Amino acid sequence: MKKKSDVKFIIYQSLYIFVVCVIAIKGANLDLTQVIADDGKPKVFLSPDSLQKLYEIIKKSIIVDTSLYVIIKKSDLEKMDEKIKQLVVNPQNLQVSSTPMNINTQIEQPKIKEEEKKDPGEMQEIRIGNIQLTQYTMNTLNNPYDTPLEVEGITTIPPKSSKSFETGGPSTILIKVGNSTKTVELKPNEKPKIGIQRVASMGEETRVTQLQSSVCFRVTISDDFPGQLDVKFNGPVTVKTVGTGTYDVTMNAFGSRSAFDNFTDGKDAPYSVGFTVTVSDKIAGHKITGQNSFSFGEW
């Protein structure tokens, strides 16, 4: 009987040693610390070895807030466009969308608006230099724009060209380019002036033959637009044009001595005959008259 008890003791002892070895291999605690709480839930224990392992894991881990940052390989980042790099490196500039962002999607570049070409109709002011226009004459105006220029009520000037046109009596004209307008004042067309200068001696002792063989007067007509003047001489004269607006006048009153005698019969010396010069502006309608006379006493 004692022999059987010894066998059981040996078996139980062997089983105990086996269980202890298994528990030791598994790293279990063999102290008498309570492992189950009073409410039946297992207690959590952290051994120094467990803490060390947990520290190693945390040290090797990288915690990233995915709401602010995007994780991407460095090699892929180097291949990206510069602007996409800035969005990846600075996620604050990236607007978070409810749909996942495909990092390979090309971001549409903002289109640079071309400077809008101003239509002449949208110009605030018409600029065509210092315009000098005059009433009652032919004026020339240049149109530097790419659209027609209208001189209201008178003419239209094609783009990039010049044109001459005649103005009337209004003191202003209206110029239009597109929807823009400009009022231009016109300079008044002044009346011409007549100057008569005597260049020969005249008097009671002056001979008719002398006056009818030489220049007696020089007539000068001044005007801003002499080309539109009509000049007429009336009287016993011969007129020679010597320049623009300049005329030499010679007496041509008597063809013979008898004609002179008939003219002077019953009259006292000195005798005289006159002439008249009339100047008319064919556009402005101005008309002026000048007059003078020859003085003589003998044939």
Side-chain angles (χ1 to χ4, degrees):
M1 188 67 181
K2 186 177 181 179
K3 187 176 180 179
K4 289 182 179 180
S5 298
D6 293 339
V7 173
K8 289 181 178 181
F9 175 78
I10 294 171
I11 293 172
Y12 290 147
Q13 189 71 22
S14 299
L15 290 174
Y16 175 75
I17 294 171
F18 176 75
V19 171
V20 171
C21 291
V22 171
I23 293 174
I25 292 171
K26 296 294 186 179
N29 294 329
L30 298 180
D31 54 19
L32 298 179
T33 304
Q34 184 178 358
V35 296
I36 297 178
D38 295 338
D39 58 1
K41 295 181 180 180
K43 287 187 175 183
V44 178
F45 296 94
L46 295 175
S47 64
D49 291 339
S50 299
L51 289 174
Q52 182 64 30
K53 290 180 180 179
L54 180 60
Y55 172 73
E56 294 295 335
I57 293 172
I58 294 174
K59 186 171 67 174
K60 295 179 180 180
S61 301
I62 300 176
I63 301 175
V64 178
D65 186 351
T66 56
S67 66
L68 296 177
Y69 300 96
V70 177
I71 301 175
I72 188 171
K73 289 183 180 181
K74 186 176 181 180
S75 59
D76 293 337
L77 181 64
E78 292 175 351
K79 298 177 182 179
M80 292 181 184
D81 184 79
E82 186 63 29
K83 291 193 175 182
I84 300 179
K85 287 183 184 180
Q86 294 177 5
L87 291 175
V88 175
V89 175
N90 300 306
Q92 291 84 353
N93 298 332
L94 181 64
Q95 296 181 353
V96 179
S97 175
S98 58
T99 57
M101 177 182 177
N102 183 0
I103 199 65
N104 293 324
T105 302
Q106 294 183 356
I107 298 178
E108 183 179 358
Q109 299 290 336
K111 295 182 179 179
I112 301 175
K113 294 183 179 180
E114 296 181 358
E115 184 180 357
E116 296 181 357
K117 295 183 178 179
K118 290 186 177 180
D119 180 66
E122 299 176 354
M123 291 183 296
Q124 296 181 351
E125 182 182 357
I126 298 175
R127 299 179 180 177
I128 48 179
N130 185 20
I131 306 174
Q132 293 185 346
L133 303 177
T134 306
Q135 296 173 307
Y136 296 115
T137 190
M138 294 298 295
N139 294 268
T140 301
L141 187 60
N142 177 54
N143 176 14
Y145 298 109
D146 295 324
T147 191
L149 183 150
E150 179 186 356
V151 182
E152 189 178 46
I154 299 177
T155 189
T156 298
I157 304 175
K160 304 294 184 181
S161 62
S162 299
K163 190 175 183 180
S164 296
F165 54 92
E166 184 179 306
T167 53
S171 59
T172 61
I173 59 172
L174 188 65
I175 294 177
K176 293 182 179 180
V177 178
N179 295 327
S180 296
T181 60
K182 181 175 183 177
T183 300
V184 178
E185 293 186 1
L186 274 67
K187 179 182 176 182
N189 187 316
E190 302 292 341
K191 290 184 177 182
K193 296 178 180 180
I194 300 175
I196 302 177
Q197 180 184 6
R198 190 174 65 179
V199 296
S201 297
M202 299 182 191
E204 188 175 352
E205 297 180 355
T206 305
R207 295 178 178 275
V208 170
T209 54
Q210 180 182 351
L211 296 179
Q212 293 191 153
S213 61
S214 61
V215 176
C216 302
F217 292 95
R218 173 158 287 182
V219 178
T220 304
I221 301 171
S222 58
D223 190 71
D224 292 338
F225 309 99
Q228 63 191 48
L229 298 180
D230 185 21
V231 180
K232 291 183 178 180
F233 287 85
N234 295 312
V237 295
T238 299
V239 179
K240 180 180 179 182
T241 303
V242 293
T244 302
T246 303
Y247 307 88
D248 283 346
V249 179
T250 301
M251 188 177 75
N252 186 15
F254 308 103
S256 64
R257 175 66 181 267
S258 60
F260 170 75
D261 291 339
N262 291 332
F263 176 78
T264 60
D265 186 24
K267 299 176 182 177
D268 296 329
Y271 313 108
S272 66
V273 292
F275 69 95
T276 302
V277 55
T278 303
V279 179
S280 302
D281 189 317
K282 292 177 287 186
I283 298 178
H286 300 315
K287 187 175 183 179
I288 60 172
T289 301
Q291 60 185 7
N292 215 313
S293 62
F294 305 94
S295 178
F296 51 92
E298 299 180 5
W299 168 251

